[in-house]
Amino acid sequence: MKFRFAIAAMATLAMGLVSAQTPTPVPAPAAAAPTVVATPPAPVPSASRSWVLMDYATGQVLAGENIHEQLPPASITKVMTSYVIAAEIKNGKIKPDDQVMMSERAWREGGAGTDGSYSGFPVNQTARLEDMEKGMAVQSGNDAAIALAEHAAGSQEAFAALMNSYAAKIGMKDSYFVNAHGLTAEGHHSTAYDLALLGRALVHDYPETYAYNKIKEFKVGDITQPNRNLLLWRDPSVDGIKTGHTSAAGYCLMSSAQRGDQRLIAVLMGGSSEKQRANDSLALLNWGFRFFETHRLYEPGAAVTTQKVWKGKGDQVQLGVAEPLLVSVPRGRYNDLKPSMDVPKVLEAPITAGQQIGTVKVSLDGKVVAQAPLVAVAAIEEAGFFKRLWDSFMMWWKSE
């Protein structure tokens, strides 16, 4: 009798089970498959101590060396200053049309009388904050960076604390800032990887501020100065972002370009010359665009898999992703992606919409290239007493 009951119970259970669907990448357009060749190695910069090439959409590192080595970032620091100023404007702390004073300290430490780059705004006079930003971004004005820091936080030291706070939010784990301009100072350092994250964040969070970096020249009074990023004149797809140079840091360059829907970010630190950093950066960008492509694998709200649920008003839950899952892969390797899931064997109601339940991973040649949490697309409410009792029995029986 128990045997017949068990058979009937298990038959009922089988009718309620729906096997997990293996997630499959979105099919590629129907076309003749191109011949896939091995991706050649990235063109290694000839002199840079540390470098990285990052895909903007995914944040994946496509190539790099010594990407986490802490080094002085020189004037690439000003990208962090730009980010903080943009964030403080968004938060309502300051405004683009604020009048910013070029203080004596800013002029003395970063003005025309120093060995560094300067904007040329007159000492003890004010200028619109937006103009001061352009003087910092285009002309790499150390004086403008100090003046902006003082306006936003009262002092450059207080502003540095803001810089470090925002850097932590961006995920820059190996960076620390002590000034707004990037002149050599003890303890002031970053990494190629962190700076690529910063460039990615500026493009994404504050595109209008980022756009200042593609201005080719800017005039203050009678002084017109060109942007030091030579790539703005060499390649129309390059639209930023920042150069840097000190004797301690060498020649540095963070560059970004967009071709079609794809954007890449390159960072070179510790280079030997202005020409070398430009040539090597462009070579990296060209290599990345030529040999890599970005795909959207899963969209929010769409089911990636369906799983059995016990003790719920519904017997199944659809799992998907909360944010679009993108991946950057060598061109022609899209169909070689292998998705897999890590989902608990037993799921019990109640389940709330958006609740994280497992992880989806996508691998290429045995290496995970993208992953994201799996979340419940819709809620599954707890069932009534008798349904819960029955499911409890069936779960016990299945475990025997």
Side-chain angles (χ1 to χ4, degrees), residues 12 31 49 52 61 71 89 106 115 167 176 181 188 219 243 271 296 333 335 360 392 397:
T12 302
R49 182 171 172 178
V52 69
V61 172
L71 296 169
I89 290 174
D115 293 331
Y176 190 77
H181 43 66
H188 188 94
K219 184 176 182 180
T243 62
R296 297 172 72 93
R333 298 297 309 280
N335 291 327
V360 59
S392 294
W397 187 274

Side-chain angles (χ1 to χ4, degrees), residues 320-380:
V321 293
E323 301 290 339
L325 179 59
L326 298 90
V327 64
S328 183
V329 295
R331 291 191 181 275
R333 298 297 309 280
Y334 175 65
N335 291 327
D336 296 328
L337 294 173
K338 304 296 183 183
S340 62
M341 292 179 300
D342 182 8
V343 179
K345 292 182 179 180
V346 178
L347 298 177
E348 296 184 35
I351 294 174
T352 59
Q355 179 179 332
Q356 181 175 341
I357 304 175
T359 305
V360 59
K361 299 179 180 180
V362 181
S363 301
L364 181 66
D365 297 333
K367 179 181 178 181
V368 175
V369 293
Q371 62 180 342
L374 283 171
V375 300
V377 174
I380 303 295

Side-chain angles (χ1 to χ4, degrees), residues 53-62 193 196-197 199-201 203-204 256-266 289 292-299 323-329 369-372:
L53 180 67
M54 179 179 287
D55 179 79
Y56 164 77
T58 64
Q60 286 177 241
V61 172
L62 306 184
Y193 178 78
L197 290 181
R200 184 174 181 239
V203 174
H204 180 271
S256 183
Q258 181 166 354
R259 299 178 188 176
D261 294 332
Q262 188 177 20
R263 176 180 289 278
L264 300 177
I265 298 171
F289 284 118
F292 286 84
E293 58 189 359
T294 303
H295 293 275
R296 297 172 72 93
L297 298 182
Y298 305 118
E299 297 290 346
E323 301 290 339
L325 179 59
L326 298 90
V327 64
S328 183
V329 295
V369 293
Q371 62 180 342

